[in-house]
Amino acid sequence: LKDGERSFLVVYTKASGENLWTELGKTEVCSLDTTWPVWGTIMELEFRVEVIRHMRCEAYKMSSSNSLEELWHHKFIGACEFLLTEAVTSRAKVHNSSDGWLRKKLVNIHRKRGEKHPGRVCVFADEKHSSKLELYFKLTATQLQT
């Protein structure tokens, strides 16, 4: 971000065949002035190989005085979609410099010609040690632009 403070992500999920996205959660607002924000929020969800689970991350820059619940008040940076299995299998690809993180480009169809690409979201998924049916994942972004 040019002014990297106040960025946050909203994460949605849906199973294959479902029409509506369900909000899984929001990260905290990044307080660092950086284009490489790292959010400490860890999100957990059930994981079954036989269920195709779609994920969507939307990046926003918080306006000065509004609640995170009112997304239309905040500046939309971009969004990306991926399958949960992509994040899980990225852990197995550490030998080819991905270091286990799934990296997805943010897309913003309202971006004006000549504006920089909005950046990437990076996802790290790992199984919860107490349950082989649950995953947790961490989120970060690279080269985030506003």
Side-chain angles (χ1 to χ4, degrees):
L1 294 170
K2 296 172 193 166
D3 175 16
E5 295 180 84
R6 304 186 323 268
S7 63
F8 66 98
L9 289 181
V10 184
V11 181
Y12 300 92
T13 184
K14 71 176 182 175
S16 189
E18 292 179 352
N19 293 325
L20 300 176
W21 291 95
T22 302
E23 184 179 311
L24 180 62
K26 293 180 180 77
T27 65
E28 74 280 8
V29 177
C30 181
S31 61
L32 301 174
D33 185 11
T34 179
T35 59
W36 298 73
V38 175
W39 296 281
T41 304
I42 295 175
M43 299 188 190
E44 295 183 12
L45 68 157
E46 184 179 60
F47 176 67
R48 296 190 184 275
V49 176
E50 67 273 11
V51 176
I52 298 172
R53 179 147 308 277
H54 299 266
M55 306 297 296
R56 177 178 174 86
C57 296
E58 295 180 353
Y60 292 87
K61 182 169 182 174
M62 183 178 182
S63 60
S64 60
S65 63
N66 293 305
S67 162
L68 293 184
E69 301 305 315
E70 300 169 337
L71 293 178
W72 57 90
H73 288 295
H74 306 293
K75 182 179 180 185
F76 177 72
I77 298 170
C80 66
E81 294 182 13
F82 57 93
L83 297 176
L84 184 56
T85 52
E86 288 180 89
V88 172
T89 58
S90 290
R91 291 187 355 229
K93 298 176 183 172
V94 295
H95 62 277
N96 65 2
S97 76
S98 75
D99 61 4
W101 289 84
L102 173 67
R103 292 173 174 83
K104 294 300 247 184
K105 286 184 178 181
L106 289 168
V107 176
N108 184 342
I109 62 171
H110 303 292
R111 186 170 56 127
K112 295 178 180 112
R113 178 172 279 181
E115 283 185 338
K116 286 186 175 182
H117 188 276
R120 300 181 196 286
V121 167
C122 306
V123 180
F124 188 87
D126 203 359
E127 66 186 9
K128 192 173 178 182
H129 295 292
S130 61
S131 169
K132 298 293 182 186
L133 297 176
E134 289 183 288
L135 289 177
Y136 69 88
F137 59 94
K138 300 177 186 177
L139 300 158
T140 185
T142 62
Q143 302 167 338
L144 207 56
Q145 303 294 322
T146 59

